Amino acid sequence: MEQTETKSVGRFELKRLLAYEGRVPVYLAVDPTHARNVALKLVNLNGADAGARKEFERSVHLMEGLRHTNLCPVLEVGQIGELDYLAMAYIKGHSLSEIAKRKAVLQPNQVALLVGKMALAMHHMHRAGLRNGFLSLESVVIDTSGEPVIVDLGLARSFPASGELDSNAPYQ
């Protein structure tokens, strides 16, 4: 029987790459401390100037306080070595991009309802002081109950890539 190597970042066990948000990788990971799956975003601010670090910390602080049905919640923020991370709720479902690739047909009233819910979620973000200038089909997941959830809150596009996980990466 072939054994697969499990990678980890700190206490998080990485299962698979979910996506890239901008240049920032997002992994499905297990958080054994809380016995839950998370979407783990890894940001490498090593070499970033003080302004970028300050903007990252400001944005993350605002994200931690966001609570809206159609926004993916930030569960935890921290640092592991040189990497900053955001552990967000893992939303089971399919992105609008995946749905579009399957050529699924949504009725006009369904589209209007989805767009309305996403607009309210974006409004909630803007009122909190966050700006997401890049909402895409990949950044919205329709969860298992049919609700749209914005999973990319726009932070990752402003910061350097942490690099894809490989055997040379500085993970523990």
Side-chain angles (χ1 to χ4, degrees):
M1 176 181 248
E2 185 179 323
Q3 233 176 324
T4 58
E5 183 182 343
T6 301
K7 299 279 187 174
S8 61
V9 177
R11 75 174 193 269
F12 298 98
E13 298 169 19
L14 305 182
K15 295 298 182 190
R16 65 181 163 90
L17 180 68
L18 291 172
Y20 275 92
E21 291 181 1
R23 298 178 305 173
V24 174
V26 183
Y27 294 94
L28 171 59
V30 175
D31 177 358
T33 302
H34 300 287
R36 63 184 175 197
N37 286 332
V38 298
L40 189 67
K41 300 179 184 196
L42 303 173
V43 181
N44 184 353
L45 291 176
N46 191 19
D49 65 26
R53 160 84 44 205
K54 186 174 182 178
E55 177 58 22
F56 174 81
E57 289 172 354
R58 182 194 76 80
S59 297
V60 166
H61 175 72
L62 292 173
M63 283 181 188
E64 285 182 294
L66 282 179
R67 296 292 178 263
H68 190 279
T69 303
N70 303 105
L71 293 175
C72 185
V74 174
L75 304 172
E76 181 181 330
V77 176
Q79 268 189 310
I80 300 170
E82 295 179 354
L83 293 175
D84 288 89
Y85 71 87
L86 284 83
M88 300 182 75
Y90 172 62
I91 307 298
K92 282 188 178 182
H94 299 284
S95 71
L96 287 178
S97 177
E98 293 170 326
I99 292 168
K101 285 177 187 171
R102 289 189 309 213
K103 300 189 185 316
V105 177
L106 298 176
Q107 298 302 313
N109 62 333
Q110 292 174 301
V111 172
L113 191 58
L114 289 174
V115 169
K117 288 178 178 186
M118 289 183 296
L120 288 172
M122 293 295 288
H123 177 70
H124 185 74
M125 282 178 63
H126 291 179
R127 286 184 49 216
L130 282 166
R131 302 289 182 257
N132 183 339
F134 189 80
L135 187 61
S136 69
L137 294 177
E138 290 83 21
S139 62
V140 178
V141 171
I142 304 301
D143 71 12
T144 55
S145 67
E147 286 294 316
V149 181
I150 298 172
V151 295
D152 179 356
L153 303 183
L155 171 76
R157 299 190 196 302
S158 307
F159 301 100
S162 64
E164 187 170 346
L165 185 66
D166 62 31
S167 59
N168 297 319
Y171 304 118
Q172 304 166 20

